[in-house]
Amino acid sequence: TIAQTEGPFFTPSTPQRTSLIEDGMTGTKLTVTGYVLTTNCQPVAQALIDFWHCDDAGNYDNVGYKLRGHQFTNDQGQYTLETIRPGLYPGRTRHIHVKVQAANQPILTTQLYFSNEPGNATDGIFHPALTMDEQDTPDGKAATFNFVLNI
């Protein structure tokens, strides 16, 4: 998985949680699932994954931990994130920031993108290799992405 910029809105020490959805939050529900794998397609158990993104109006919480959190993959390297589809803000396409780290290994910082998003064509950071497969569900949207670490 290719690295990308962290951006200006990273906050360390996020709470450990698999759902970023909070009471009163607006937006389309999004469930992202996938695996963290080695370049030999071996699962990475207990990999740290830290997610953050803006709300559905395009605003980041730079005071607290709204739409921010980390989790660890299970023994099969699998993760599940429950959140909302991020909004848009000037100059960027829709995206989710991610840091992924296997135990005692370097941190991969990257971003995930949405397929068929009009802003992808004009976002200078967008990379098609980081596009999630997204489907409609009765509850909102579901997307998949597998991270591959060079370990």
Side-chain angles (χ1 to χ4, degrees):
T1 303
I2 63 171
Q4 288 207 317
T5 181
E6 177 180 284
F9 302 120
F10 175 70
T11 300
S13 303
T14 60
Q16 183 174 340
R17 56 188 175 173
T18 58
S19 179
L20 304 184
I21 296 175
E22 299 176 19
D23 289 341
M25 190 172 282
T26 60
T28 302
K29 182 179 175 184
L30 171 68
T31 302
V32 182
T33 59
Y35 294 87
V36 176
L37 305 165
T38 68
T39 53
N40 293 327
C41 293
Q42 297 301 305
V44 180
Q46 300 305 306
L48 170 68
I49 310 178
D50 198 342
F51 295 98
W52 73 100
H53 62 84
C54 65
D55 64 16
D56 67 332
N59 300 307
Y60 283 88
D61 177 4
N62 292 315
V63 177
Y65 294 104
K66 182 178 174 186
L67 297 170
R68 299 173 183 276
H70 73 274
Q71 61 180 273
F72 295 91
T73 58
N74 67 16
D75 290 342
Q76 291 77 43
Q78 187 175 26
Y79 72 91
T80 299
L81 174 69
E82 185 179 85
T83 189
I84 61 165
R85 288 183 96 231
L88 298 170
Y89 60 89
R92 291 301 318 274
T93 192
R94 199 177 310 271
H95 63 282
I96 297 174
H97 296 270
V98 189
K99 288 183 179 282
V100 185
Q101 183 180 26
N104 302 310
Q105 296 294 319
I107 299 170
L108 166 69
T109 301
T110 194
Q111 298 181 38
L112 299 179
Y113 299 97
F114 295 81
S115 59
N116 301 318
E117 188 67 38
N120 292 351
T122 57
D123 189 309
I125 300 172
F126 170 78
H127 195 289
L130 298 172
T131 303
M132 295 182 288
D133 295 322
E134 189 179 35
Q135 307 292 324
D136 290 325
T137 71
D139 289 340
K141 301 277 187 176
T144 58
F145 191 86
N146 295 330
F147 296 97
V148 179
L149 300 181
N150 191 19
I151 55 174

